[in-house]
Short mmCIF file of all heavy atoms in Angstrom, two decimals:
data_model
loop_
_atom_site.label_atom_id
_atom_site.label_comp_id
_atom_site.label_asym_id
_atom_site.label_seq_id
_atom_site.Cartn_x
_atom_site.Cartn_y
_atom_site.Cartn_z
N GLU A 803 98.90 -16.00 93.75
CA GLU A 803 99.69 -15.31 94.79
C GLU A 803 99.43 -15.92 96.17
O GLU A 803 99.97 -15.45 97.17
CB GLU A 803 99.39 -13.82 94.77
CG GLU A 803 99.85 -13.12 93.51
CD GLU A 803 99.41 -11.69 93.42
OE1 GLU A 803 98.42 -11.31 94.09
OE2 GLU A 803 100.01 -10.94 92.62
N GLY A 804 98.55 -16.92 96.25
CA GLY A 804 98.28 -17.54 97.53
C GLY A 804 97.30 -16.80 98.38
O GLY A 804 97.17 -17.11 99.58
N ASP A 805 96.61 -15.84 97.83
CA ASP A 805 95.63 -15.05 98.61
C ASP A 805 94.21 -15.61 98.38
O ASP A 805 93.45 -15.11 97.57
CB ASP A 805 95.73 -13.59 98.16
CG ASP A 805 94.93 -12.66 99.06
OD1 ASP A 805 94.09 -13.16 99.87
OD2 ASP A 805 95.11 -11.40 98.95
N GLN A 806 93.90 -16.64 99.14
CA GLN A 806 92.61 -17.28 98.99
C GLN A 806 91.42 -16.38 99.29
O GLN A 806 90.38 -16.46 98.66
CB GLN A 806 92.52 -18.56 99.85
CG GLN A 806 93.40 -19.68 99.35
CD GLN A 806 93.21 -20.97 100.13
OE1 GLN A 806 92.48 -21.02 101.11
NE2 GLN A 806 93.91 -22.03 99.74
N ALA A 807 91.61 -15.51 100.31
CA ALA A 807 90.50 -14.62 100.66
C ALA A 807 90.15 -13.67 99.51
O ALA A 807 88.97 -13.46 99.18
CB ALA A 807 90.86 -13.84 101.95
N ALA A 808 91.17 -13.10 98.90
CA ALA A 808 90.93 -12.18 97.76
C ALA A 808 90.34 -12.96 96.58
O ALA A 808 89.38 -12.51 95.95
CB ALA A 808 92.20 -11.50 97.36
N ALA A 809 90.88 -14.16 96.32
CA ALA A 809 90.34 -14.96 95.22
C ALA A 809 88.85 -15.26 95.44
O ALA A 809 88.07 -15.11 94.52
CB ALA A 809 91.14 -16.25 95.11
N GLU A 810 88.50 -15.63 96.67
CA GLU A 810 87.15 -15.93 96.99
C GLU A 810 86.25 -14.72 96.74
O GLU A 810 85.16 -14.83 96.20
CB GLU A 810 87.06 -16.34 98.45
CG GLU A 810 85.71 -16.84 98.86
CD GLU A 810 85.73 -17.49 100.24
OE1 GLU A 810 86.75 -18.03 100.65
OE2 GLU A 810 84.67 -17.38 100.89
N GLN A 811 86.71 -13.53 97.12
CA GLN A 811 85.91 -12.32 96.90
C GLN A 811 85.68 -12.08 95.43
O GLN A 811 84.58 -11.77 95.02
CB GLN A 811 86.62 -11.09 97.57
CG GLN A 811 86.50 -11.11 99.05
CD GLN A 811 87.23 -9.90 99.64
OE1 GLN A 811 88.19 -9.35 99.07
NE2 GLN A 811 86.73 -9.45 100.79
N TYR A 812 86.74 -12.22 94.61
CA TYR A 812 86.59 -12.01 93.19
C TYR A 812 85.59 -13.03 92.58
O TYR A 812 84.72 -12.66 91.79
CB TYR A 812 87.91 -12.10 92.48
CG TYR A 812 88.80 -10.88 92.67
CD1 TYR A 812 90.06 -11.00 93.28
CD2 TYR A 812 88.43 -9.65 92.23
CE1 TYR A 812 90.88 -9.91 93.46
CE2 TYR A 812 89.25 -8.52 92.39
CZ TYR A 812 90.45 -8.67 93.02
OH TYR A 812 91.28 -7.56 93.20
N PHE A 813 85.78 -14.26 92.95
CA PHE A 813 84.87 -15.33 92.39
C PHE A 813 83.43 -15.12 92.84
O PHE A 813 82.48 -15.27 92.05
CB PHE A 813 85.37 -16.72 92.75
CG PHE A 813 86.72 -17.08 92.19
CD1 PHE A 813 87.59 -17.83 92.94
CD2 PHE A 813 87.12 -16.69 90.94
CE1 PHE A 813 88.85 -18.20 92.44
CE2 PHE A 813 88.35 -17.03 90.41
CZ PHE A 813 89.23 -17.80 91.18
N GLN A 814 83.27 -14.80 94.12
CA GLN A 814 81.90 -14.54 94.62
C GLN A 814 81.27 -13.37 93.93
O GLN A 814 80.09 -13.40 93.60
CB GLN A 814 81.97 -14.25 96.18
CG GLN A 814 82.42 -15.40 96.97
CD GLN A 814 81.28 -16.28 97.41
OE1 GLN A 814 80.12 -16.13 97.03
NE2 GLN A 814 81.56 -17.22 98.29
N HIS A 815 82.04 -12.32 93.71
CA HIS A 815 81.48 -11.15 93.03
C HIS A 815 81.11 -11.48 91.58
O HIS A 815 80.10 -11.07 91.07
CB HIS A 815 82.45 -9.95 93.05
CG HIS A 815 81.85 -8.68 92.63
ND1 HIS A 815 82.28 -8.01 91.50
CD2 HIS A 815 80.84 -7.95 93.13
CE1 HIS A 815 81.51 -6.93 91.33
NE2 HIS A 815 80.64 -6.86 92.31
N ALA A 816 81.97 -12.25 90.90
CA ALA A 816 81.67 -12.70 89.52
C ALA A 816 80.33 -13.51 89.53
O ALA A 816 79.53 -13.29 88.64
CB ALA A 816 82.82 -13.52 88.96
N LEU A 817 80.16 -14.36 90.51
CA LEU A 817 78.95 -15.19 90.53
C LEU A 817 77.71 -14.33 90.86
O LEU A 817 76.62 -14.61 90.40
CB LEU A 817 79.08 -16.32 91.56
CG LEU A 817 80.00 -17.47 91.09
CD1 LEU A 817 80.18 -18.48 92.20
CD2 LEU A 817 79.48 -18.08 89.81
N ALA A 818 77.90 -13.31 91.70
CA ALA A 818 76.81 -12.43 92.00
C ALA A 818 76.36 -11.67 90.75
O ALA A 818 75.18 -11.46 90.51
CB ALA A 818 77.22 -11.42 93.09
N LEU A 819 77.33 -11.33 89.89
CA LEU A 819 77.02 -10.65 88.63
C LEU A 819 76.42 -11.60 87.59
O LEU A 819 75.51 -11.18 86.82
CB LEU A 819 78.28 -10.00 88.07
CG LEU A 819 78.88 -8.83 88.83
CD1 LEU A 819 80.21 -8.49 88.27
CD2 LEU A 819 77.96 -7.64 88.79
N ALA A 820 76.94 -12.83 87.56
CA ALA A 820 76.52 -13.76 86.53
C ALA A 820 76.50 -15.15 87.10
O ALA A 820 77.48 -15.93 86.95
CB ALA A 820 77.42 -13.69 85.31
N PRO A 821 75.40 -15.58 87.74
CA PRO A 821 75.38 -16.88 88.41
C PRO A 821 75.58 -18.07 87.47
O PRO A 821 76.02 -19.13 87.94
CB PRO A 821 73.96 -16.93 89.02
CG PRO A 821 73.50 -15.51 89.04
CD PRO A 821 74.20 -14.82 87.97
N ASP A 822 75.35 -17.88 86.17
CA ASP A 822 75.55 -18.98 85.24
C ASP A 822 76.97 -19.05 84.68
O ASP A 822 77.24 -19.94 83.88
CB ASP A 822 74.55 -18.89 84.06
CG ASP A 822 73.12 -19.13 84.50
OD1 ASP A 822 72.94 -19.81 85.52
OD2 ASP A 822 72.20 -18.68 83.78
N PHE A 823 77.85 -18.15 85.06
CA PHE A 823 79.18 -18.13 84.54
C PHE A 823 79.94 -19.32 85.16
O PHE A 823 80.18 -19.37 86.36
CB PHE A 823 79.83 -16.81 84.85
CG PHE A 823 81.14 -16.56 84.13
CD1 PHE A 823 81.44 -17.14 82.89
CD2 PHE A 823 82.09 -15.74 84.67
CE1 PHE A 823 82.64 -16.90 82.26
CE2 PHE A 823 83.30 -15.48 84.03
CZ PHE A 823 83.57 -16.07 82.85
N VAL A 824 80.35 -20.24 84.32
CA VAL A 824 80.91 -21.50 84.76
C VAL A 824 82.29 -21.34 85.40
O VAL A 824 82.56 -21.96 86.46
CB VAL A 824 81.03 -22.49 83.57
CG1 VAL A 824 81.74 -23.79 83.97
CG2 VAL A 824 79.63 -22.79 83.02
N LEU A 825 83.16 -20.58 84.84
CA LEU A 825 84.56 -20.55 85.28
C LEU A 825 84.74 -20.04 86.72
O LEU A 825 85.46 -20.68 87.49
CB LEU A 825 85.42 -19.76 84.28
CG LEU A 825 85.47 -20.39 82.91
CD1 LEU A 825 86.28 -19.51 81.95
CD2 LEU A 825 86.01 -21.80 82.91
N PRO A 826 84.11 -18.95 87.17
CA PRO A 826 84.28 -18.59 88.55
C PRO A 826 83.61 -19.59 89.50
O PRO A 826 84.06 -19.84 90.61
CB PRO A 826 83.66 -17.21 88.69
CG PRO A 826 82.80 -17.04 87.52
CD PRO A 826 83.36 -17.92 86.43
N ARG A 827 82.56 -20.25 89.03
CA ARG A 827 81.86 -21.27 89.84
C ARG A 827 82.78 -22.47 90.05
O ARG A 827 82.92 -22.96 91.16
CB ARG A 827 80.55 -21.67 89.14
CG ARG A 827 79.74 -22.68 89.90
CD ARG A 827 78.38 -22.90 89.28
NE ARG A 827 77.53 -21.72 89.37
CZ ARG A 827 76.86 -21.40 90.50
NH1 ARG A 827 76.93 -22.14 91.58
NH2 ARG A 827 76.13 -20.31 90.55
N THR A 828 83.43 -22.94 88.98
CA THR A 828 84.30 -24.08 89.14
C THR A 828 85.61 -23.68 89.90
O THR A 828 86.11 -24.48 90.67
CB THR A 828 84.66 -24.74 87.75
OG1 THR A 828 85.26 -23.74 86.91
CG2 THR A 828 83.44 -25.34 87.10
N ALA A 829 86.08 -22.47 89.68
CA ALA A 829 87.27 -22.02 90.40
C ALA A 829 86.96 -21.93 91.87
O ALA A 829 87.81 -22.34 92.70
CB ALA A 829 87.74 -20.67 89.87
N LEU A 830 85.82 -21.42 92.24
CA LEU A 830 85.45 -21.36 93.68
C LEU A 830 85.22 -22.74 94.24
O LEU A 830 85.65 -23.03 95.40
CB LEU A 830 84.19 -20.49 93.84
CG LEU A 830 83.77 -20.16 95.29
CD1 LEU A 830 84.92 -19.51 96.07
CD2 LEU A 830 82.55 -19.25 95.30
N ALA A 831 84.64 -23.64 93.48
CA ALA A 831 84.46 -25.02 93.92
C ALA A 831 85.84 -25.67 94.16
O ALA A 831 86.02 -26.39 95.14
CB ALA A 831 83.66 -25.82 92.92
N SER A 832 86.76 -25.43 93.25
CA SER A 832 88.09 -25.99 93.41
C SER A 832 88.77 -25.43 94.66
O SER A 832 89.40 -26.21 95.42
CB SER A 832 88.94 -25.62 92.19
OG SER A 832 90.22 -26.15 92.30
N LEU A 833 88.59 -24.16 94.96
CA LEU A 833 89.13 -23.57 96.16
C LEU A 833 88.47 -24.26 97.38
O LEU A 833 89.16 -24.56 98.35
CB LEU A 833 88.83 -22.06 96.17
CG LEU A 833 89.31 -21.29 97.37
CD1 LEU A 833 90.82 -21.43 97.55
CD2 LEU A 833 88.91 -19.80 97.25
N ARG A 834 87.22 -24.49 97.36
CA ARG A 834 86.49 -25.19 98.44
C ARG A 834 87.07 -26.59 98.66
O ARG A 834 87.23 -27.06 99.79
CB ARG A 834 84.99 -25.25 98.20
CG ARG A 834 84.34 -23.91 98.23
CD ARG A 834 84.27 -23.33 99.65
NE ARG A 834 83.52 -22.11 99.66
CZ ARG A 834 84.07 -20.93 99.75
NH1 ARG A 834 85.38 -20.80 99.84
NH2 ARG A 834 83.34 -19.85 99.77
#
């Protein structure tokens, strides 16, 4: 939907819950 701020919050929260979870880590890296 083009909402980078919301996407970042979701990915950050996922990483806070599970730092080893690859997919939100790579998705956030891609966003960066």
